[in-house]
Amino acid sequence: MLISLLGLAALFVLAFLGVPLGFAMIAVGTLGFAWFRGIEPALAMAAQQAVDMSMSYGMSVIPLFVVMGAFIFKAGMADDLFGAAQRWMGHLRGGLAHAALGACAGFGAVCGSSLSTAATMARVAEPEMRRHGYDPAFSGATIAAGGTLGILIPPSVPMVIYGILTETDIARLFAAGVVPGILLTFLYMIAVWFTALAWPAKCGHRVQATWGERAAALRGTLPVLGLFLVVLGGLYLGIFTPSESAGVGAAGALAFMVLRGKATRRAIGEALSESTLLTASLLMITIGAGIFTNFLTISGLTASAAAWVQSLEAPPLGVVVAMCFVYIVLGCFFDSLAMIFLTIPVFFPIVSALGLDPVWFGIIVVIVVELGLLTPPMGMNVFIVKALIPGVGMWEIFFNIGLFVVAALVCLAIVLWVPQVALWLPSLM
C-alpha cells in the first residue's frame, strides 16, 4: 500500500512539473511493478502493454473520429451550422448566444473533441456576435461552455478512452450521452436567457430572418445531420461496430469536402497531420495508463480501496458524489483526459465492487470532467477561446462563465439522482 501511494504521489508530482502524462505513467508504472516483480518482468510487461495497445482494434475508433471532425471543419460546415442556428434563434433574447450553443451541439455531434469544438466556434461565431454588439467576454464564456458539449454528445473521444480502459461497450456509452447532451444544451440556453434578462447590455442586438432564409439555411445543415444519424443510428441499430461507424463517418466527411470543392492537397494534409498528432499523443497516454494500472493492481491498492469503501457501508450514491468532488478539485489542475487516465484505474474497481452501472458512471465522469474545462486556473476551453478572441482578459471570461458552471452542476445532479436520463436510450438497444 505504501509503495502504491508513493507511486500515485510521484505521478502527480511529475505531472505538475510538466512531464508528459504518458511518459510519467510509463516511468512510475514500470518502476513500481519492478519493485514487486523485478526489472526484467517489469520491462516485459511494459513492452507487452505497448504492443497490445498499439494493435488494439478499439483504438482505431479514435483517429477515425478525430479525422472526421477535422474533415467537417475543413469542409466549412461549422459556418453552415452557426448560420442556420443564427437564422432560427437570432430573434430571441440573447439569440446569437443561443445560436452559438446550438452550433456547438451540432458540431460536437460529428467532432468528439471539446477543445476542437470551442476553437472552431470561436473562429466562426464570435466575430458575428461582436458585430451585433455582444460583450466579447460573455461571447467567449458562451463558446467555452458550448465547447464542452463536444465530449458529451457522441461521438466522444473521452467516452472511447473510458470504454477502452474499463472494457465498457462504446456503442452503449455513445447512446447514453445523447439525452444528457441535449439536456445540458437546454440548461446552457437557460443560463443565456437569464443573462439576457439580468444584464441585457451583454447580449447585443437581435437578428431577424425571413422564413425563406431559415429554410435555406436549414438545408445547408442536412449533410451534418445525415452523417450524425448514419454514424449513431448504425451503432444504435447494431449495423456498425464503433470502428466501422467511425470509418463511415470519416469517409462521409471526406466526401463532403470533395463535393464542396474543399478537398485540396493542403487541406487534406493539414487534417491528417492534426489527427495524427492528437492520436499519437492519446496512444502514448493509453499505453502509460495500462502500465500504471498493472502496477496499482499488483500492489493491491485497487482491491484494498474497494474493500475499504465497502467496509464504510456508505450509500453507493454518496461514494460517487465524493468521487465527483475529487474530479472537480482535479479539474482545477488537469485537463479532461488526464483526469480520466489518472482516476479510472482507482475509481472503477470501487464502482464495480458497489455494483453500479459502468455506462451510467461513464456519463457521470464525462459530465464532471467537463467542469474542469471551464473552471480556473486551468480551464482549457477558456484558454483556447481567449487565445482566439482579441482584447479579452482570461479572468473576464471566467467571471462570465459562472452561470454555465451552475447549469453543468444541475445536469450532473439530475443524472446522479435519475440514472434513467442516461440509461433509457441504451436500454432500448
Side-chain angles (χ1 to χ4, degrees), residues 34 73 93 99 189-190 202 232 283 306 325 349 352 378 397 424:
F73 171 68
R93 289 180 183 271
M189 288 182 174
I190 291 173
K202 291 186 177 184
L232 193 62
L283 177 61
F325 278 111
S352 298
M378 280 292 289
I397 299 177
W424 170 71

Side-chain angles (χ1 to χ4, degrees), residues 278-304:
L278 177 58
T279 302
S281 64
L282 289 175
L283 177 61
M284 184 58 68
I285 298 175
T286 306
I287 292 171
I291 295 171
F292 188 70
T293 300
N294 282 346
F295 158 56
L296 293 183
T297 301
I298 201 171
S299 71
L301 176 65
T302 52
S304 298

Side-chain angles (χ1 to χ4, degrees), residues 246-315:
V248 170
L254 179 59
F256 293 147
M257 282 187 70
V258 173
L259 293 174
R260 289 176 165 235
K262 304 282 188 179
T264 63
R265 179 179 296 181
R266 178 178 179 181
I268 294 176
E270 288 176 351
L272 293 176
S273 177
E274 293 167 5
S275 303
T276 300
L277 289 172
L278 177 58
T279 302
S281 64
L282 289 175
L283 177 61
M284 184 58 68
I285 298 175
T286 306
I287 292 171
I291 295 171
F292 188 70
T293 300
N294 282 346
F295 158 56
L296 293 183
T297 301
I298 201 171
S299 71
L301 176 65
T302 52
S304 298
W308 177 72
V309 170
Q310 288 180 304
S311 70
L312 295 176
E313 298 183 357

Side-chain angles (χ1 to χ4, degrees), residues 21 115 151 282 285 327 330-342 369-370 372-373 378-381:
L21 185 60
L115 298 181
I151 63 172
L282 289 175
I285 298 175
Y327 276 114
L330 290 178
C332 296
F333 307 102
F334 295 99
D335 64 30
S336 56
L337 289 177
M339 283 191 282
I340 291 174
F341 281 114
L342 286 170
V369 300
E370 283 181 328
L373 297 170
M378 280 292 289
M380 290 301 298
N381 273 21

